[in-house]
Amino acid sequence: MTAVLAPQELHARYQKTFGRAGGYLPRNPLAIDDFQKGLAQRAADLKEELDPAVRDFATLLHSDGIVRMYVEKMLREVPEEHRHIRSLDELVDYLNVVVTWAPGFERDPRKQIFLPMSALFGYMRLTPAGMVAFRLPQFNDGLRAVLQKWCTYLNSPESAHVLNTREGGWFSQSAIEMNKLYEYECWDHRDREHWGFSSFNDFFHRPIKDEYRPLAGNGDPGVIVAPNDGTVYNIRRNAARQTDFWIKEQYSLETMLSGPECGDEYVNRFVRGDVYQAFLSVNTFHRWNVPVDGTIKHLEIVPGLMFSAAENETPDPETWTHSQSYQAHVNTRGLAFIECGPELGNRMVCAVVIGMDEVSSITWSVNAGDTVKRGQELGYFSYGGSSMALVFEQGIVDEFTVPVNDPHQHPDDGPTVFVRSQIARAR
């Protein structure tokens, strides 16, 4: 018999999800119920054939017995009063709606849904069977193709319809204030259609004016700068080659820094080094910068999970926001290995760009072999919020100059940092 999750436990888990903490999902979980109920009517109105990626995902759900077992179980484990998706076919129909969904702006934080896929999976992924389903490789591979199709839509001109000044548009007064759009280059193009943006994603990874993110250090090579806007999640010194990374705040370098192309070629250089990790929320700047002067030795995007979270042996509602270190090992992530110059002993830094939930589209702005400078653009996410880590070879960092956060107490609201500001000093 399927064990239905208690509503109180569901709500407790929901309040600590990454999307809820980062502002992508509403503070009031009942808004998830309203969203899912609304999908039924949208699916009925769509009256179109399934998108090819969604159709392939539907085939997987019906043909792979293990996938079907866990997906059907996770649907049934959602409490009855929150169970608005009752079958595989309904799940498929709702996915077919979301792949052509450009998120609108919602000023009320109790109702904000900026990640529609996370809202669709909002309850089912929190169930015991959901925790297993979203770790199945074949399930993730099928889902990745759906997410890529959604990202393609967000890159298209059709997605720009939400870029307007009306209520619910991303240029409405409340959206301007929340996102501080006056700090961005688009502020000077307000006379253009959609303020000059060609698509929703074009707006999402919009460039900011340099004056609002000045480069710290005045040319001092010993200054290490933040690679992204965000809040400090964790700083861990003396990192180990191998640990139980599924336990809170642990970093296992051989898993975190390995990929299909580079293997563990660089891992030994980082053993006993330092890890800095910061969290990006909904209204932060979503391009990342180079933290140190050096040379790009290797770039790689490692395919991984999208909606998985760490799981404890005992119920722990905070597991979901504490999962940032876990997700640095198992989620889709970009690895940028940067070899410093002689002033830092030719040691190495790795920027680990972590895609979370819908955010699995990572774009580099540099190439392997490039000589790079602190504060230079490294790349950007297409839609969503995420987390980013820097891993330093032992001997680079003398001291971190940002306040050290206790992730046990503040997993999602640590000290604020801005890209290109100082976070550490080199030896």
Side-chain angles (χ1 to χ4, degrees), residues 176-193:
I176 288 172
E177 293 170 0
M178 190 189 88
N179 293 289
K180 299 182 178 180
L181 294 185
Y182 42 81
E183 294 184 352
Y184 292 81
E185 294 177 5
C186 63
W187 192 248
D188 299 330
H189 307 307
R190 286 168 287 163
D191 57 331
R192 301 181 186 177
E193 183 180 16

Side-chain angles (χ1 to χ4, degrees), residues 21 38 69 82 86 109 121 177 225 275 291 297 300 306 332 354:
M69 175 179 67
H82 300 295
R86 297 179 174 275
F121 297 136
E177 293 170 0
V225 299
V275 181
K297 300 299 289 185
E300 184 169 354
M306 277 82 72
T332 296
I354 306 154

Side-chain angles (χ1 to χ4, degrees), residues 6 15 39 63 118 128 163 167 173 235 265 306 317 335 399 414:
Q15 292 298 339
L39 286 176
S63 63
S118 289
L163 304 180
E167 186 69 21
Q173 189 59 41
I235 294 174
E265 175 182 356
M306 277 82 72
L335 303 176
E399 63 172 340

Side-chain angles (χ1 to χ4, degrees), residues 3 85 95-96 106 158 211 228 253 315 331 416:
I85 305 169
L95 275 173
N96 202 46
E106 169 58 63
E158 289 77 13
E211 64 194 88
N228 60 283
L253 298 178
N331 279 31
T416 299

